[in-house]
Amino acid sequence: MSTRLYLSGLLYPRPCIHEAILAYAHLCSVEICDETLAGCSIEVEAHNSSLTDASRVSREFLNYVLDLSLEHHLLGKRVTEQAHT
Amino acid sequence: MASTQLSWTHTLQDDALLISVNLDLYSLEALFRACYSFTDRCYIFLDHTEDSSIVNVHLAKKSPNGDLTTLAGEFSNELIDQKVRLDISAQTRTIRELIVAQAFTEADLLDRSASEADYHQDPRGIAT
């Protein structure tokens, strides 16, 4: 079961999305599609999980992206260059 | 017992609640600060359309026993608290900076005894 969402570039900086994808690679695969300057769509698919677990993994992933984004906006934290490769 | 639904929230199909935040009333920073204090208590997703002043905040509970209506109410209050804090901070910024500058002016934080002492006294014990 996959979840598709649109992440606004105003709220979710692209480097934060990339870092979260790396951090959650062992739990889910995330594909970025329909990229524009304004934002991008992502499709989150949990690895080998039940319906309940897949939903939880998606929500945990989104919370993590949000945390990174909030730290970026509020604390000026920058993700490492490694997250972009 | 389930709480009564708040009039400014909308119940979504996936058992989440939606709060629409008007950026003309609450700055992005106030919204971010409110969200930051709630990500450990619930799932939050922010939805924004370009050229719109509305950010939709999706709230979903983390535990089955959680009360989403109470969370939404507390989040709404936190949003107001953060806005007030930021407003007060902006209004008092000048006087705060003056107070800090004055405090540092009055306190002589540099120990000049080592750099301005006579070499005969040798306060740093350099001479062998």
Side-chain angles (χ1 to χ4, degrees), chain A residues 3-65:
Chain A
T3 303
R4 190 179 174 104
L5 293 159
Y6 178 78
L7 301 184
S8 165
L10 174 70
L11 305 171
Y12 298 92
R14 207 60 53 85
C16 298
I17 299 174
H18 287 292
E19 181 172 347
I21 290 174
L22 283 176
Y24 269 71
H26 64 294
L27 290 172
C28 59
S29 60
V30 181
E31 185 183 343
I32 298 178
C33 36
D34 301 332
E35 281 192 85
T36 65
L37 288 175
C40 64
S41 293
I42 62 167
E43 192 150 344
V44 184
E45 185 153 10
H47 299 319
N48 303 322
S49 297
S50 65
L51 196 64
T52 305
D53 290 340
S55 175
R56 182 180 173 185
V57 167
S58 295
R59 287 176 165 176
E60 290 286 351
F61 170 79
L62 289 173
N63 251 27
Y64 188 66
V65 177

Short mmCIF file of all heavy atoms in Angstrom, two decimals, chain A residues 3-65:
data_model
loop_
_atom_site.label_atom_id
_atom_site.label_comp_id
_atom_site.label_asym_id
_atom_site.label_seq_id
_atom_site.Cartn_x
_atom_site.Cartn_y
_atom_site.Cartn_z
N THR A 3 1.34 5.59 -0.25
CA THR A 3 0.70 6.86 0.08
C THR A 3 1.31 7.94 -0.78
O THR A 3 2.54 8.06 -0.85
CB THR A 3 0.93 7.21 1.57
OG1 THR A 3 0.43 6.14 2.38
CG2 THR A 3 0.20 8.49 1.92
N ARG A 4 0.48 8.71 -1.45
CA ARG A 4 0.97 9.77 -2.32
C ARG A 4 0.52 11.11 -1.75
O ARG A 4 -0.66 11.31 -1.43
CB ARG A 4 0.44 9.61 -3.72
CG ARG A 4 1.09 10.55 -4.74
CD ARG A 4 0.54 10.32 -6.13
NE ARG A 4 1.05 11.28 -7.08
CZ ARG A 4 2.01 11.03 -7.99
NH1 ARG A 4 2.52 9.83 -8.06
NH2 ARG A 4 2.43 11.98 -8.81
N LEU A 5 1.48 12.02 -1.62
CA LEU A 5 1.21 13.33 -1.02
C LEU A 5 1.98 14.41 -1.74
O LEU A 5 3.03 14.15 -2.33
CB LEU A 5 1.62 13.34 0.46
CG LEU A 5 0.84 12.45 1.41
CD1 LEU A 5 1.65 12.18 2.64
CD2 LEU A 5 -0.47 13.14 1.79
N TYR A 6 1.46 15.62 -1.63
CA TYR A 6 2.15 16.78 -2.19
C TYR A 6 2.80 17.56 -1.04
O TYR A 6 2.14 17.91 -0.07
CB TYR A 6 1.18 17.68 -2.95
CG TYR A 6 1.85 18.92 -3.50
CD1 TYR A 6 2.62 18.86 -4.66
CD2 TYR A 6 1.71 20.15 -2.86
CE1 TYR A 6 3.25 19.99 -5.15
CE2 TYR A 6 2.32 21.28 -3.36
CZ TYR A 6 3.10 21.21 -4.50
OH TYR A 6 3.72 22.32 -4.99
N LEU A 7 4.10 17.81 -1.17
CA LEU A 7 4.82 18.57 -0.15
C LEU A 7 5.17 19.95 -0.71
O LEU A 7 5.93 20.06 -1.68
CB LEU A 7 6.10 17.84 0.27
CG LEU A 7 5.92 16.44 0.84
CD1 LEU A 7 7.26 15.88 1.31
CD2 LEU A 7 4.93 16.43 1.99
N SER A 8 4.63 20.97 -0.08
CA SER A 8 4.90 22.33 -0.52
C SER A 8 6.35 22.71 -0.23
O SER A 8 6.85 22.47 0.86
CB SER A 8 3.95 23.29 0.20
OG SER A 8 4.41 24.62 0.06
N GLY A 9 6.99 23.33 -1.21
CA GLY A 9 8.36 23.78 -1.04
C GLY A 9 8.50 24.89 0.00
O GLY A 9 9.55 25.06 0.60
N LEU A 10 7.41 25.61 0.23
CA LEU A 10 7.42 26.66 1.25
C LEU A 10 7.57 26.06 2.65
O LEU A 10 8.16 26.65 3.54
CB LEU A 10 6.12 27.47 1.16
CG LEU A 10 5.89 28.53 2.23
CD1 LEU A 10 6.86 29.69 2.04
CD2 LEU A 10 4.46 29.02 2.20
N LEU A 11 7.01 24.86 2.82
CA LEU A 11 6.99 24.24 4.15
C LEU A 11 8.06 23.17 4.31
O LEU A 11 8.64 23.01 5.38
CB LEU A 11 5.60 23.64 4.40
CG LEU A 11 4.43 24.59 4.22
CD1 LEU A 11 3.11 23.83 4.29
CD2 LEU A 11 4.45 25.67 5.29
N TYR A 12 8.27 22.38 3.27
CA TYR A 12 9.20 21.25 3.34
C TYR A 12 10.36 21.47 2.37
O TYR A 12 10.24 21.21 1.17
CB TYR A 12 8.48 19.95 2.96
CG TYR A 12 7.33 19.56 3.86
CD1 TYR A 12 6.03 19.96 3.59
CD2 TYR A 12 7.55 18.76 4.99
CE1 TYR A 12 4.97 19.59 4.41
CE2 TYR A 12 6.50 18.37 5.81
CZ TYR A 12 5.21 18.80 5.52
OH TYR A 12 4.17 18.42 6.34
N PRO A 13 11.49 21.97 2.85
CA PRO A 13 12.65 22.17 1.97
C PRO A 13 13.12 20.85 1.37
O PRO A 13 13.11 19.81 2.04
CB PRO A 13 13.71 22.76 2.92
CG PRO A 13 12.94 23.30 4.07
CD PRO A 13 11.76 22.39 4.23
N ARG A 14 13.54 20.92 0.12
CA ARG A 14 13.94 19.71 -0.60
C ARG A 14 15.05 18.93 0.10
O ARG A 14 14.98 17.69 0.20
CB ARG A 14 14.34 20.06 -2.02
CG ARG A 14 14.16 18.96 -3.04
CD ARG A 14 12.71 18.48 -3.15
NE ARG A 14 11.79 19.58 -3.40
CZ ARG A 14 11.51 20.08 -4.60
NH1 ARG A 14 12.10 19.59 -5.66
NH2 ARG A 14 10.64 21.07 -4.73
N PRO A 15 16.11 19.60 0.63
CA PRO A 15 17.17 18.83 1.32
C PRO A 15 16.65 18.04 2.51
O PRO A 15 17.16 16.95 2.81
CB PRO A 15 18.15 19.92 1.76
CG PRO A 15 17.92 21.05 0.83
CD PRO A 15 16.46 21.03 0.54
N CYS A 16 15.64 18.57 3.18
CA CYS A 16 15.08 17.86 4.34
C CYS A 16 14.35 16.61 3.89
O CYS A 16 14.39 15.57 4.56
CB CYS A 16 14.12 18.78 5.11
SG CYS A 16 14.92 20.24 5.79
N ILE A 17 13.69 16.68 2.77
CA ILE A 17 13.01 15.50 2.22
C ILE A 17 14.04 14.43 1.87
O ILE A 17 13.87 13.25 2.21
CB ILE A 17 12.18 15.86 0.98
CG1 ILE A 17 11.10 16.89 1.33
CG2 ILE A 17 11.55 14.62 0.37
CD1 ILE A 17 10.34 17.42 0.13
N HIS A 18 15.12 14.85 1.23
CA HIS A 18 16.17 13.89 0.85
C HIS A 18 16.77 13.23 2.08
O HIS A 18 17.02 12.02 2.09
CB HIS A 18 17.26 14.60 0.05
CG HIS A 18 16.85 14.96 -1.34
ND1 HIS A 18 16.62 14.02 -2.32
CD2 HIS A 18 16.60 16.15 -1.92
CE1 HIS A 18 16.25 14.62 -3.44
NE2 HIS A 18 16.24 15.92 -3.23
N GLU A 19 17.02 14.03 3.13
CA GLU A 19 17.63 13.45 4.33
C GLU A 19 16.68 12.45 4.98
O GLU A 19 17.11 11.40 5.46
CB GLU A 19 17.99 14.55 5.33
CG GLU A 19 18.65 13.97 6.59
CD GLU A 19 19.20 15.03 7.52
OE1 GLU A 19 19.31 16.19 7.10
OE2 GLU A 19 19.54 14.68 8.67
N ALA A 20 15.39 12.78 5.01
CA ALA A 20 14.42 11.87 5.62
C ALA A 20 14.32 10.57 4.82
O ALA A 20 14.17 9.49 5.40
CB ALA A 20 13.06 12.55 5.69
N ILE A 21 14.39 10.67 3.52
CA ILE A 21 14.33 9.46 2.67
C ILE A 21 15.49 8.53 3.00
O ILE A 21 15.32 7.31 3.12
CB ILE A 21 14.35 9.84 1.17
CG1 ILE A 21 13.04 10.52 0.78
CG2 ILE A 21 14.59 8.62 0.30
CD1 ILE A 21 13.01 11.07 -0.62
N LEU A 22 16.67 9.12 3.19
CA LEU A 22 17.84 8.32 3.55
C LEU A 22 17.66 7.67 4.92
O LEU A 22 17.96 6.50 5.12
CB LEU A 22 19.09 9.18 3.54
CG LEU A 22 19.70 9.53 2.18
CD1 LEU A 22 20.88 10.46 2.35
CD2 LEU A 22 20.12 8.27 1.44
N ALA A 23 17.16 8.45 5.87
CA ALA A 23 17.01 7.96 7.23
C ALA A 23 15.98 6.83 7.33
O ALA A 23 16.10 5.94 8.18
CB ALA A 23 16.63 9.11 8.16
N TYR A 24 14.99 6.86 6.47
CA TYR A 24 13.91 5.87 6.53
C TYR A 24 14.02 4.79 5.45
O TYR A 24 13.09 4.01 5.25
CB TYR A 24 12.55 6.57 6.40
CG TYR A 24 11.96 6.97 7.74
CD1 TYR A 24 12.53 8.00 8.48
CD2 TYR A 24 10.88 6.29 8.28
CE1 TYR A 24 12.01 8.35 9.72
CE2 TYR A 24 10.36 6.63 9.51
CZ TYR A 24 10.93 7.66 10.22
OH TYR A 24 10.42 8.00 11.46
N ALA A 25 15.16 4.73 4.80
CA ALA A 25 15.33 3.78 3.69
C ALA A 25 15.13 2.33 4.13
O ALA A 25 14.70 1.49 3.34
CB ALA A 25 16.72 3.95 3.08
N HIS A 26 15.41 2.03 5.39
CA HIS A 26 15.26 0.66 5.88
C HIS A 26 13.80 0.31 6.18
O HIS A 26 13.45 -0.85 6.37
CB HIS A 26 16.11 0.44 7.15
CG HIS A 26 15.68 1.28 8.30
ND1 HIS A 26 15.78 2.65 8.31
CD2 HIS A 26 15.14 0.94 9.50
CE1 HIS A 26 15.33 3.12 9.47
NE2 HIS A 26 14.94 2.10 10.20
N LEU A 27 12.93 1.32 6.22
CA LEU A 27 11.52 1.09 6.55
C LEU A 27 10.59 1.28 5.35
O LEU A 27 9.53 0.67 5.28
CB LEU A 27 11.07 2.03 7.67
CG LEU A 27 11.66 1.76 9.05
CD1 LEU A 27 11.30 2.88 10.01
CD2 LEU A 27 11.14 0.43 9.60
N CYS A 28 10.97 2.17 4.45
CA CYS A 28 10.08 2.45 3.32
C CYS A 28 10.88 3.00 2.15
O CYS A 28 11.98 3.49 2.31
CB CYS A 28 9.01 3.45 3.73
SG CYS A 28 9.64 5.03 4.32
N SER A 29 10.28 2.89 0.99
CA SER A 29 10.87 3.51 -0.18
C SER A 29 10.02 4.72 -0.54
O SER A 29 8.79 4.70 -0.45
CB SER A 29 10.91 2.52 -1.36
OG SER A 29 9.59 2.11 -1.68
N VAL A 30 10.70 5.80 -0.87
CA VAL A 30 10.00 7.06 -1.18
C VAL A 30 10.44 7.54 -2.54
O VAL A 30 11.63 7.72 -2.79
CB VAL A 30 10.32 8.14 -0.12
CG1 VAL A 30 9.57 9.42 -0.44
CG2 VAL A 30 9.97 7.64 1.27
N GLU A 31 9.49 7.73 -3.41
CA GLU A 31 9.79 8.22 -4.75
C GLU A 31 9.31 9.67 -4.87
O GLU A 31 8.18 9.99 -4.49
CB GLU A 31 9.09 7.36 -5.80
CG GLU A 31 9.45 7.75 -7.22
CD GLU A 31 8.70 6.92 -8.25
OE1 GLU A 31 8.16 5.86 -7.88
OE2 GLU A 31 8.65 7.34 -9.41
N ILE A 32 10.20 10.51 -5.35
CA ILE A 32 9.84 11.91 -5.58
C ILE A 32 9.42 12.07 -7.04
O ILE A 32 10.15 11.67 -7.94
CB ILE A 32 11.02 12.85 -5.28
CG1 ILE A 32 11.43 12.73 -3.81
CG2 ILE A 32 10.65 14.29 -5.60
CD1 ILE A 32 12.61 13.59 -3.43
N CYS A 33 8.25 12.65 -7.23
CA CYS A 33 7.78 12.83 -8.59
C CYS A 33 7.12 14.20 -8.72
O CYS A 33 6.82 14.85 -7.73
CB CYS A 33 6.81 11.72 -8.98
SG CYS A 33 5.74 11.14 -7.68
N ASP A 34 6.90 14.60 -9.93
CA ASP A 34 6.24 15.87 -10.22
C ASP A 34 6.91 17.03 -9.49
O ASP A 34 6.26 17.80 -8.78
CB ASP A 34 4.77 15.83 -9.82
CG ASP A 34 4.01 14.74 -10.55
OD1 ASP A 34 4.44 14.40 -11.68
OD2 ASP A 34 3.03 14.22 -10.00
N GLU A 35 8.20 17.14 -9.65
CA GLU A 35 8.93 18.22 -9.00
C GLU A 35 8.75 19.54 -9.72
O GLU A 35 8.87 19.62 -10.94
CB GLU A 35 10.43 17.90 -8.96
CG GLU A 35 10.81 16.93 -7.86
CD GLU A 35 12.31 16.85 -7.66
OE1 GLU A 35 12.85 17.70 -6.92
OE2 GLU A 35 12.93 15.95 -8.24
N THR A 36 8.45 20.57 -8.95
CA THR A 36 8.41 21.93 -9.49
C THR A 36 9.10 22.83 -8.48
O THR A 36 9.47 22.37 -7.40
CB THR A 36 6.96 22.43 -9.69
OG1 THR A 36 6.33 22.54 -8.41
CG2 THR A 36 6.17 21.50 -10.59
N LEU A 37 9.22 24.10 -8.79
CA LEU A 37 9.82 25.03 -7.83
C LEU A 37 8.93 25.18 -6.60
O LEU A 37 9.40 25.45 -5.50
CB LEU A 37 10.03 26.41 -8.48
CG LEU A 37 11.16 26.48 -9.51
CD1 LEU A 37 11.18 27.86 -10.16
CD2 LEU A 37 12.51 26.17 -8.87
N ALA A 38 7.64 24.99 -6.78
CA ALA A 38 6.69 25.18 -5.68
C ALA A 38 6.64 23.99 -4.73
O ALA A 38 6.23 24.14 -3.57
CB ALA A 38 5.30 25.44 -6.24
N GLY A 39 7.04 22.83 -5.19
CA GLY A 39 6.98 21.65 -4.33
C GLY A 39 7.11 20.38 -5.13
O GLY A 39 7.48 20.40 -6.30
N CYS A 40 6.81 19.26 -4.48
CA CYS A 40 6.92 17.99 -5.18
C CYS A 40 5.93 16.99 -4.58
O CYS A 40 5.49 17.13 -3.44
CB CYS A 40 8.33 17.43 -5.06
SG CYS A 40 8.84 17.02 -3.38
N SER A 41 5.59 16.00 -5.37
CA SER A 41 4.77 14.90 -4.87
C SER A 41 5.69 13.77 -4.48
O SER A 41 6.72 13.55 -5.11
CB SER A 41 3.80 14.43 -5.95
OG SER A 41 2.85 15.42 -6.23
N ILE A 42 5.33 13.07 -3.42
CA ILE A 42 6.10 11.91 -3.02
C ILE A 42 5.17 10.72 -2.89
O ILE A 42 3.98 10.87 -2.59
CB ILE A 42 6.85 12.11 -1.69
CG1 ILE A 42 5.87 12.37 -0.54
CG2 ILE A 42 7.87 13.24 -1.80
CD1 ILE A 42 6.51 12.27 0.83
N GLU A 43 5.72 9.55 -3.14
CA GLU A 43 4.95 8.32 -2.97
C GLU A 43 5.73 7.46 -1.97
O GLU A 43 6.87 7.08 -2.22
CB GLU A 43 4.80 7.59 -4.30
CG GLU A 43 3.79 6.47 -4.24
CD GLU A 43 3.09 6.23 -5.57
OE1 GLU A 43 3.17 7.10 -6.45
OE2 GLU A 43 2.48 5.17 -5.70
N VAL A 44 5.08 7.16 -0.85
CA VAL A 44 5.71 6.42 0.23
C VAL A 44 5.16 5.00 0.25
O VAL A 44 3.95 4.80 0.31
CB VAL A 44 5.45 7.08 1.60
CG1 VAL A 44 6.20 6.35 2.71
CG2 VAL A 44 5.83 8.56 1.56
N GLU A 45 6.05 4.04 0.20
CA GLU A 45 5.64 2.64 0.27
C GLU A 45 6.47 1.90 1.30
O GLU A 45 7.69 1.83 1.19
CB GLU A 45 5.79 1.96 -1.09
CG GLU A 45 5.25 0.53 -1.10
CD GLU A 45 4.79 0.07 -2.46
OE1 GLU A 45 5.06 0.79 -3.44
OE2 GLU A 45 4.18 -1.00 -2.54
N ALA A 46 5.78 1.38 2.33
CA ALA A 46 6.48 0.68 3.41
C ALA A 46 6.96 -0.68 2.92
O ALA A 46 6.33 -1.31 2.07
CB ALA A 46 5.56 0.54 4.61
N HIS A 47 8.07 -1.16 3.52
CA HIS A 47 8.60 -2.47 3.17
C HIS A 47 7.89 -3.55 3.96
O HIS A 47 7.88 -3.52 5.19
CB HIS A 47 10.11 -2.54 3.50
CG HIS A 47 10.95 -1.55 2.77
ND1 HIS A 47 10.77 -1.24 1.46
CD2 HIS A 47 11.99 -0.78 3.20
CE1 HIS A 47 11.67 -0.34 1.08
NE2 HIS A 47 12.42 -0.04 2.13
N ASN A 48 7.30 -4.51 3.27
CA ASN A 48 6.78 -5.73 3.91
C ASN A 48 5.99 -5.45 5.18
O ASN A 48 6.27 -5.99 6.25
CB ASN A 48 7.93 -6.68 4.26
CG ASN A 48 8.75 -7.03 3.03
OD1 ASN A 48 8.20 -7.20 1.94
ND2 ASN A 48 10.06 -7.12 3.20
N SER A 49 5.02 -4.54 5.10
CA SER A 49 4.25 -4.21 6.30
C SER A 49 2.77 -4.48 6.10
O SER A 49 2.27 -4.48 4.99
CB SER A 49 4.44 -2.73 6.67
OG SER A 49 5.76 -2.45 6.99
N SER A 50 2.08 -4.70 7.20
CA SER A 50 0.63 -4.84 7.14
C SER A 50 0.02 -3.47 6.87
O SER A 50 0.72 -2.46 6.88
CB SER A 50 0.10 -5.39 8.46
OG SER A 50 0.34 -4.45 9.49
N LEU A 51 -1.28 -3.44 6.66
CA LEU A 51 -1.95 -2.17 6.34
C LEU A 51 -1.75 -1.16 7.47
O LEU A 51 -1.47 0.02 7.23
CB LEU A 51 -3.44 -2.44 6.13
CG LEU A 51 -4.23 -1.33 5.44
CD1 LEU A 51 -3.72 -1.14 4.04
CD2 LEU A 51 -5.71 -1.68 5.41
N THR A 52 -1.89 -1.65 8.70
CA THR A 52 -1.74 -0.76 9.86
C THR A 52 -0.31 -0.25 9.98
O THR A 52 -0.08 0.94 10.18
CB THR A 52 -2.12 -1.49 11.16
OG1 THR A 52 -3.42 -2.02 11.02
CG2 THR A 52 -2.08 -0.53 12.34
N ASP A 53 0.64 -1.16 9.83
CA ASP A 53 2.04 -0.77 9.94
C ASP A 53 2.43 0.18 8.82
O ASP A 53 3.19 1.13 9.04
CB ASP A 53 2.94 -2.01 9.90
CG ASP A 53 2.80 -2.84 11.16
OD1 ASP A 53 2.34 -2.28 12.17
OD2 ASP A 53 3.16 -4.03 11.14
N ALA A 54 1.94 -0.05 7.62
CA ALA A 54 2.28 0.81 6.48
C ALA A 54 1.81 2.23 6.73
O ALA A 54 2.52 3.20 6.46
CB ALA A 54 1.66 0.26 5.20
N SER A 55 0.61 2.36 7.28
CA SER A 55 0.07 3.68 7.59
C SER A 55 0.92 4.37 8.65
O SER A 55 1.22 5.56 8.55
CB SER A 55 -1.37 3.55 8.08
OG SER A 55 -1.85 4.81 8.50
N ARG A 56 1.32 3.58 9.65
CA ARG A 56 2.13 4.15 10.73
C ARG A 56 3.50 4.59 10.19
O ARG A 56 4.00 5.66 10.55
CB ARG A 56 2.30 3.12 11.84
CG ARG A 56 3.08 3.66 13.01
CD ARG A 56 3.24 2.64 14.10
NE ARG A 56 4.14 3.13 15.14
CZ ARG A 56 4.54 2.42 16.17
NH1 ARG A 56 4.12 1.18 16.32
NH2 ARG A 56 5.35 2.93 17.06
N VAL A 57 4.11 3.75 9.36
CA VAL A 57 5.42 4.10 8.80
C VAL A 57 5.33 5.39 7.99
O VAL A 57 6.19 6.28 8.10
CB VAL A 57 5.96 2.95 7.91
CG1 VAL A 57 7.15 3.42 7.09
CG2 VAL A 57 6.37 1.76 8.77
N SER A 58 4.28 5.52 7.19
CA SER A 58 4.11 6.75 6.39
C SER A 58 4.00 7.97 7.29
O SER A 58 4.60 9.02 7.02
CB SER A 58 2.86 6.63 5.51
OG SER A 58 3.00 5.61 4.56
N ARG A 59 3.20 7.84 8.33
CA ARG A 59 3.00 8.99 9.23
C ARG A 59 4.26 9.33 10.00
O ARG A 59 4.57 10.50 10.24
CB ARG A 59 1.84 8.71 10.17
CG ARG A 59 0.49 8.79 9.46
CD ARG A 59 -0.68 8.43 10.34
NE ARG A 59 -1.93 8.86 9.73
CZ ARG A 59 -3.14 8.63 10.22
NH1 ARG A 59 -3.27 7.97 11.35
NH2 ARG A 59 -4.22 9.05 9.60
N GLU A 60 4.99 8.30 10.43
CA GLU A 60 6.26 8.55 11.12
C GLU A 60 7.25 9.24 10.18
O GLU A 60 7.97 10.15 10.58
CB GLU A 60 6.86 7.24 11.65
CG GLU A 60 6.09 6.60 12.79
CD GLU A 60 6.27 7.33 14.12
OE1 GLU A 60 7.13 8.24 14.22
OE2 GLU A 60 5.53 7.00 15.07
N PHE A 61 7.27 8.80 8.94
CA PHE A 61 8.15 9.41 7.95
C PHE A 61 7.78 10.89 7.76
O PHE A 61 8.65 11.76 7.75
CB PHE A 61 8.05 8.67 6.62
CG PHE A 61 8.75 9.38 5.48
CD1 PHE A 61 10.13 9.31 5.35
CD2 PHE A 61 8.04 10.13 4.56
CE1 PHE A 61 10.78 9.97 4.33
CE2 PHE A 61 8.69 10.80 3.52
CZ PHE A 61 10.06 10.72 3.41
N LEU A 62 6.51 11.15 7.62
CA LEU A 62 6.07 12.54 7.42
C LEU A 62 6.39 13.41 8.63
O LEU A 62 6.74 14.58 8.49
CB LEU A 62 4.58 12.58 7.10
CG LEU A 62 4.19 12.03 5.74
CD1 LEU A 62 2.67 11.96 5.61
CD2 LEU A 62 4.77 12.90 4.62
N ASN A 63 6.24 12.83 9.82
CA ASN A 63 6.60 13.59 11.03
C ASN A 63 8.09 13.90 11.05
O ASN A 63 8.50 14.99 11.46
CB ASN A 63 6.21 12.79 12.29
CG ASN A 63 5.04 13.40 13.01
OD1 ASN A 63 4.21 14.07 12.39
ND2 ASN A 63 4.95 13.19 14.32
N TYR A 64 8.89 12.94 10.60
CA TYR A 64 10.34 13.15 10.59
C TYR A 64 10.72 14.23 9.58
O TYR A 64 11.54 15.10 9.87
CB TYR A 64 11.05 11.83 10.27
CG TYR A 64 12.56 11.92 10.42
CD1 TYR A 64 13.13 12.13 11.67
CD2 TYR A 64 13.40 11.81 9.32
CE1 TYR A 64 14.51 12.21 11.82
CE2 TYR A 64 14.78 11.90 9.46
CZ TYR A 64 15.32 12.10 10.71
OH TYR A 64 16.68 12.20 10.86
N VAL A 65 10.11 14.19 8.41
CA VAL A 65 10.36 15.24 7.42
C VAL A 65 9.97 16.60 7.99
O VAL A 65 10.67 17.60 7.82
CB VAL A 65 9.56 14.99 6.11
CG1 VAL A 65 9.79 16.13 5.13
CG2 VAL A 65 9.96 13.69 5.47
#
